[in-house]
Amino acid sequence: MSAAIILAAVLGGGILLIARRMFSRESTVNMLHYPSDMMRGKTVIITGANSGIGKATALELVKLQARVIMACRDQQRAEDAAQEIRAEAGSDQGEIVIKRLDLASLQSVHSFCEEIIKEESRIDVLINNAGIYQCPYTKTEDGFEMQFGVNHLGHFLLTHLLLDLLKKSAPSRIVVVSSKLYKNGDINFEDLNSEQSYNKAFAYSRSKLANLLFTCELAKRLEETGVTVNALTPGIVRTNLGRHVKISLLAKPLFNLASWAFFKSPLEGAQTSIFLACSPDVEGVQGKCFANCKEEELLPKATDEEVARKLWDISEIMVGITK
């Protein structure tokens, strides 16, 4: 949703809604509740767990006594977030472990996975949450367009390298955070690296479409393994994901006010991630996409098996997976 649309809503009478939201704090999302020890003995990896949806997911799972591995690029920000989570989680909480992971570096992904496999006896849930949104054209350490490299290829390799441990830990789950903006994306196999042309909004949408196609193909490959994979679209959430989106100084106060009224809080945005990570309602469910903790119907391009298979094969080559 563009800032112009949001501002139009505000100026067109949305201020009443803002006031109601600010004073009542009524959530538009059903907040789910689980037994306080539901994730005891479970190990969960969350990428990008130091802010936004990832941090909110980590907090709620720690409250449920999970052992949460925060896989983050910035060590200091991860330490700060972990301290806040521990302070908020209460006395009966799980464990937090911080590991460095830079999804823009295939070497970092390899190092992270080697460390996990060496130190961890099991992984019960892998949440591919981290993402970068509408950044200027830049490339990863390995020469990939940044959004495609981080949002898709980094998680593609991460999941591949941890798959054997996930299978040994079965029943286990993989959760893939996508976005409704996938609808604006297409997979152009002739220019996956955006070297011929670059539009930052389209590049983000393409990476989120790739997440869904990855989920589709991985689900087929996981049949009869005891490992499930499902995706989700969290909706519009107040996070720092949009830090690369430029908003004029004049519009910023109205934008911030509108975001408070119309956007989900990180905790609200994290509800479906938490649901897919621990709810018995999705036990054995495979290859689906969820929004607001309910199954979501996707556009045909997000479930195209031929495109999903081709993208998988090309992604393997790009990240250097040899069979």
Side-chain angles (χ1 to χ4, degrees), residues 8-296:
V10 172
L11 296 174
I15 291 183
L16 199 57
L17 176 58
I18 292 175
R20 187 183 307 134
R21 177 80 182 247
M22 288 177 70
F23 289 107
S24 71
R25 294 294 190 193
E26 289 180 0
S27 172
T28 57
V29 176
N30 289 328
M31 308 294 278
L32 301 178
H33 301 280
Y34 304 95
S36 60
D37 61 348
M38 186 169 194
M39 295 297 284
R40 183 186 296 166
K42 305 282 188 182
T43 296
V44 182
I45 296 176
I46 307 174
T47 66
N50 59 283
S51 64
I53 294 173
K55 181 182 175 185
T57 303
L59 170 60
E60 294 307 299
L61 293 179
V62 167
K63 285 180 179 178
L64 299 178
Q65 301 185 26
R67 183 169 184 271
V68 173
I69 299 175
M70 299 172 63
C72 304
R73 180 178 58 84
D74 189 314
Q75 185 82 12
Q76 186 57 56
R77 289 181 64 197
E79 294 281 1
D80 293 343
Q83 187 173 349
E84 292 170 3
I85 289 170
R86 291 187 184 105
E88 194 173 340
S91 56
D92 247 355
Q93 61 178 260
E95 180 185 358
I96 298 175
V97 177
I98 297 171
K99 297 286 185 184
R100 188 177 185 278
L101 170 64
D102 182 358
L103 289 161
S105 165
L106 298 184
Q107 181 55 53
S108 177
V109 176
H110 276 283
S111 297
F112 172 84
C113 293
E114 287 170 7
E115 199 170 337
I116 291 294
I117 292 167
K118 180 181 178 181
E119 296 177 1
E120 302 296 328
S121 60
R122 62 183 299 110
I123 303 172
D124 297 280
V125 185
L126 169 63
I127 303 179
N128 291 339
N129 166 82
I132 189 166
Y133 176 74
Q134 294 197 19
C135 61
Y137 186 79
T138 49
K139 290 187 176 181
T140 68
E141 180 180 291
D142 305 280
F144 306 127
E145 185 276 310
M146 185 63 71
Q147 295 187 83
F148 191 75
V150 170
N151 299 352
H152 170 61
L153 292 174
H155 282 119
F156 180 90
L157 179 61
L158 176 74
T159 306
H160 168 79
L161 295 175
L162 295 179
L163 209 50
D164 282 345
L165 185 53
L166 282 158
K167 289 177 180 177
K168 290 176 184 176
S169 308
S172 54
R173 303 180 182 188
I174 301 168
V175 179
V176 179
V177 180
S178 182
S179 165
K180 290 187 188 299
L181 291 175
Y182 84 88
K183 296 175 182 179
N184 300 327
D186 288 299
I187 303 297
N188 178 6
F189 288 110
E190 302 304 313
D191 191 28
L192 285 176
N193 222 25
S194 298
E195 292 176 333
Q196 297 173 17
S197 64
Y198 181 71
N199 177 292
K200 61 184 182 180
F202 173 79
Y204 178 76
S205 294
R206 179 178 56 194
S207 72
K208 296 290 100 180
L209 175 59
N211 290 157
L212 295 173
L213 291 166
F214 164 71
T215 301
C216 176
E217 179 64 19
L218 180 58
K220 291 171 56 181
R221 294 168 182 253
L222 290 177
E223 290 179 4
E224 309 300 328
T225 65
V227 184
T228 61
V229 59
N230 291 288
L232 67 104
T233 59
I236 307 175
V237 183
R238 294 191 304 273
T239 70
N240 65 354
L241 190 64
R243 61 190 178 275
H244 295 294
V245 179
K246 298 192 184 311
I247 301 170
S248 71
L249 289 174
L250 183 63
K252 188 162 283 189
L254 282 176
F255 181 84
N256 290 338
L257 192 61
S259 71
W260 185 263
F262 301 115
F263 293 7
K264 293 178 181 178
S265 69
L267 178 56
E268 290 170 341
Q271 289 304 297
T272 307
S273 294
I274 299 162
F275 173 74
L276 291 177
C278 64
S279 175
D281 293 345
V282 288
E283 188 173 341
V285 175
Q286 187 74 281
K288 304 298 182 182
C289 186
F290 290 77
N292 295 324
C293 302
K294 296 178 181 178
E295 190 176 333
E296 177 181 26

